[in-house]
Amino acid sequence: MQLPSMRFSLRILRKHAKLACIAVFSLAIGLAAASVGLSTFHALLLRPPAVVDPNRLLTVYTITPNEPFNQLSYPDYRYYRDNNSVFSGLCAIPFSISLQAIIFEKREKRGLINAVSDNYFSVLGVHPFLGRWFAAGDDDKAMTSVVLSYGYWQWLGADQNIIGKTLTMNGVPFTIVGVAPRRFVGTILSDVPDLWHPLSAATAISHQNSDWLADRSSRSLSLIGRRVSKLWRRCKDYRASLPPLIRRQTRTGLQR
């Protein structure tokens, strides 16, 4: 019975060839979209992240009468980092990343660049694949060091001896100090950086002054904090701890 049915089906498809092509094409698009969606779901939600205890990481932002979601300035970040009792570590990243021409040994690529605070990787609990992370205090100096993503390191040839070598961005030489592990893709959902550099290096790349590091009105940083305890603390505990700190910082800023 199957053979006659198949012959009948083939005659119908040949008779309505255009409709059959449209149906097959639509199914192909639907299957491709489903595959992409499942792959993204697996990458973001099912695959274990390359950070330690990700459930202890929280995003920190400010709320004002005019802005329901607002970033913080670098002076605010430093104050909260050094004076809070809620987080064991607090790091900062700009809300967006930039696109720069990267030159390494005559190989050039337009790469995605992510500026981060010097404690970014340590707060996330990521271990380097090669080399080391940035050192404490790099944000306060004109540091020109970079950490490569695993994917970009592979694109450059997967050189095991790449640490200490130099690449160039916008005419400025940067020393490679580390390579991130394979599964670490950063903390910006839409893009995977090719490399990371300290916040202070942004002034060298853009050839601008560093006034924004002291300007409380320049609010361009998003903060990520790691809770002090593995146990969930009640929301009211955070609310009780942060407002006095915010009021002290506000008074300090007004007195300057």
Side-chain angles (χ1 to χ4, degrees), residues 1-204:
M1 292 291 294
Q2 292 183 353
L3 185 59
S5 298
M6 291 180 61
R7 289 175 177 173
F8 177 76
S9 299
L10 290 174
R11 286 199 299 271
I12 295 298
L13 288 175
R14 187 167 57 249
K15 185 176 180 180
H16 303 282
K18 291 183 179 179
L19 183 60
C21 290
I22 292 174
V24 171
F25 184 69
S26 300
L27 285 172
I29 292 177
L31 290 172
S35 299
V36 171
L38 288 173
S39 299
T40 303
F41 178 79
H42 177 270
L44 297 179
L45 299 178
L46 299 180
R47 188 178 63 186
V51 301
V52 175
D53 293 335
N55 60 316
R56 292 176 57 195
L57 296 175
L58 300 173
T59 301
V60 181
Y61 59 93
T62 59
I63 297 175
T64 66
N66 298 324
E67 295 287 344
F69 181 90
N70 201 8
Q71 285 78 51
L72 292 89
S73 67
Y74 183 73
D76 289 337
Y77 153 66
R78 289 190 59 184
Y79 184 84
Y80 297 138
R81 179 197 64 190
D82 298 337
N83 294 279
N84 86 89
S85 60
V86 175
F87 301 106
S88 60
L90 194 65
C91 63
I93 57 172
F95 191 66
S96 60
I97 60 180
S98 60
L99 186 65
Q100 291 284 346
I102 310 171
I103 302 175
F104 177 79
E105 295 181 349
K106 298 182 180 180
R107 297 187 66 181
E108 183 172 349
K109 176 185 178 181
R110 297 283 291 179
L112 293 174
I113 314 302
N114 195 186
V116 297
S117 58
D118 54 24
N119 62 346
Y120 172 76
F121 294 101
S122 60
V123 169
L124 296 179
V126 184
H127 301 288
F129 175 74
L130 290 176
R132 62 171 178 85
W133 300 138
F134 306 124
D138 281 358
D139 287 341
D140 302 320
K141 299 174 287 188
M143 295 301 298
T144 52
S145 54
V146 294
V147 170
L148 307 183
S149 70
Y150 188 89
Y152 183 54
W153 171 71
Q154 284 195 315
W155 187 84
L156 292 176
D159 181 7
Q160 293 284 338
N161 300 310
I162 200 170
I163 304 302
K165 295 185 178 181
T166 302
L167 57 79
T168 303
M169 290 186 291
N170 203 14
V172 180
F174 284 80
T175 302
I176 300 169
V177 299
V179 176
R182 181 194 299 266
R183 291 190 294 110
F184 183 71
V185 295
T187 49
I188 298 178
L189 184 62
S190 59
D191 298 296
V192 178
D194 291 296
L195 59 82
W196 296 265
H197 62 72
L199 289 172
S200 59
T203 58

